[in-house]
Amino acid sequence: MPTTASNTESATLIERMGLKPGHATIVGLQWGDEGKGKVVDMLAAEFDAVARYNGGANAGHTVVVGDEKYALHLMPSGILYPGKVNVLGNGVVIDPEQLVKEITGLRERGLTIDPATLFISSRAHVVLPYHKTQDRLQEAAYTMPNALDQVVEGIGTTGRGIGPCYADKALRSTAVRMADLADLESLRHQLHRIVPIKNATLKALCEYTGETHEPINADALLDWIKPLADILVPHLADTAGLLHKVGDEDKRILFEGANATLLDIDHGTYPYVTSSNCSSLGAHTGTGVPGHAVGNVIGIVKAYQTRVGGGPMPTELNDATGDRIREVGREFGTTTGRPRRCGWIDLVALRYTARVSGATAVCVMLLDVLADLPELKLCTGYRVDGKAYDGYPATSEELAKVEPVYETLPGFAGPVDGCKSIAELPESARAYLDFIADYLGVPVVLASVGPKRDQSAVR
Ligand code: IMP
């Protein structure tokens, strides 16, 4: 059983962070992997409910509690505290096998995961094995050489079937929702309608790419789902109604975003994005709780920049400093193990995402990773053809053209990992945080200086 922070300690944390009363959304402001899980985990002690609103098993967060390390992909981070209401909202796409794996793994480690603590939206969509096949074949098809392009960069998806599942959600006729798992006979009929369409699609993709796959059998798929449905169906709920009730009782909800604002399907660096609204805007469509109910948006930011997968990254460092950040920050994907591209913090992108997500506070994570660098650069502007660029590019082609303009600040000249408050940080580290806060016009309320809960310098 993990040790948990006491309520008093976390009440102090909320006060120290200067949050307004009421609900809060936690959202990544870069390309993901900012360390949202740690902040959700720390704040969950003070909130009554934690609701995940988007994405699926493409996300991954590692939470360290004492000497125990938890790698979660689907489970809301509040699950590590006993007695909280944990919600997987309608905007989440659920891989039933992965979710059951996480439930079983956490139960084996002594946590109580029951229908009174984990609520899954009946409206959430189901990721099925063929979505992963389709994800892989679609990437292969997209990157096939053709008559006009020599080299085409793929999206670089996590291969977790996210895009095809959200595409089916939009198509409707080929979608399966969690509610469908509650009536297996009806699901059998549904799968017999969907599977021939999927087989035709996958066959066409295979013919184009030269890849192979075994045709799906609807009855075998149903047999595979049945034991997973037995475990998950007791957790199904009208989660929007549940969250409204939580709010009506003056209890507090923490909305947990997966992925991050630059990966948002509408506002991110399209097409190198994921398939959901992962900005804070998705918290509302993804749970059924309206925007005016949420007064706090906590933007999570790494002290530097990382990106996994394809797409331009203006501040990327393909040099020894980039390698150093990757090594010290252990910048390898939780979900796929891929090395992350590393670079200096991009304040132009952050100003854009802080506005889109409406950040009212910012937490700067992994500050300790920069501790031994002699000087630090922060991108404060873009230039194209020698001229200052205004705003944030809408296309990846345009983003690929920008040149970053940097401000240089001195390094921290010493370790920061023992600091418990921002005031305790070396002056140079405080100057770095002040620079970020001033540029964004949003206060920095916490700097993370190590993976553990207590390695946090709070305001
Ligand atoms: P998908 O979400 O698997 O379709 O991947 C689409 C893009 O989003 C790829 O570039 C992924 O690397 C990226 N991506 C998706 N989820 C995350 C995340 O949680 N962290 C970082 N990158 C992600």
Side-chain angles (χ1 to χ4, degrees), residues 151-172:
V151 181
V152 183
E153 188 180 23
I155 306 290
T157 73
T158 60
R160 296 296 189 267
I162 305 300
C165 182
Y166 279 113
D168 279 341
K169 175 177 178 176
L171 282 170
R172 294 147 294 157

Side-chain angles (χ1 to χ4, degrees), residues 111-124:
L111 278 104
T112 305
I113 318 284
D114 60 22
T117 51
L118 177 66
F119 300 86
I120 303 169
S121 171
S122 304
R123 296 169 185 268

Side-chain angles (χ1 to χ4, degrees), residues 266-329:
D266 283 287
H267 301 286
T269 46
Y270 198 87
Y272 302 99
V273 294
T274 187
S275 305
S276 65
N277 283 120
C278 26
S279 64
S280 74
L281 305 172
H284 315 296
T285 51
T287 62
V289 178
H292 67 77
V294 186
N296 300 288
V297 176
I298 305 166
I300 312 296
V301 169
K302 249 178 216 184
Y304 46 92
Q305 202 82 11
T306 62
R307 182 164 202 180
V308 203
M313 176 176 169
T315 62
E316 183 167 10
L317 289 168
N318 289 308
D319 61 10
T321 307
D323 292 345
R324 179 96 190 104
I325 291 174
R326 186 176 308 103
E327 190 190 316
V328 179

Side-chain angles (χ1 to χ4, degrees), residues 31-34 36 58-60 135 155-164 258-260 263 271-275 307-310 335-336 338 340:
W31 277 295
D33 314 310
E34 293 93 348
K36 296 176 289 290
N58 53 349
D135 200 354
I155 306 290
T157 73
T158 60
R160 296 296 189 267
I162 305 300
N259 325 122
L263 293 171
Y272 302 99
V273 294
T274 187
S275 305
R307 182 164 202 180
V308 203
T335 304
T336 60
R338 289 181 287 181
R340 297 180 183 136

Side-chain angles (χ1 to χ4, degrees), residues 14-144:
I14 279 205
E15 279 167 16
R16 287 169 77 193
M17 286 175 75
L19 300 191
K20 286 179 261 175
H23 310 321
T25 298
I26 295 207
V27 64
L29 295 183
Q30 294 159 319
W31 277 295
D33 314 310
E34 293 93 348
K36 296 176 289 290
K38 172 171 168 174
V39 183
V40 177
D41 171 64
M42 287 172 68
L43 279 173
E46 175 82 358
F47 284 76
D48 301 286
V50 180
R52 168 102 184 251
Y53 60 81
N54 75 297
N58 53 349
H61 43 246
T62 307
V63 182
V64 180
V65 185
D67 295 329
E68 297 273 326
K69 202 168 166 183
Y70 297 86
L72 306 174
H73 293 279
L74 273 164
M75 214 44 120
S77 305
I79 205 77
L80 301 180
Y81 288 90
K84 302 284 169 193
V85 168
N86 290 279
V87 168
L88 288 172
N90 55 279
V92 179
V93 288
I94 295 174
D95 175 342
E97 191 175 44
Q98 175 63 32
L99 184 55
V100 164
K101 206 167 124 192
E102 286 182 35
I103 291 173
T104 316
L106 290 170
R107 281 184 181 149
E108 277 166 7
R109 291 169 79 172
L111 278 104
T112 305
I113 318 284
D114 60 22
T117 51
L118 177 66
F119 300 86
I120 303 169
S121 171
S122 304
R123 296 169 185 268
H125 282 252
V126 182
V127 178
L128 290 164
Y130 54 69
H131 288 125
K132 294 182 218 170
T133 313
Q134 197 177 343
D135 200 354
R136 178 174 59 79
L137 292 173
Q138 177 77 22
E139 276 280 275
Y142 183 63
T143 50
M144 287 284 285

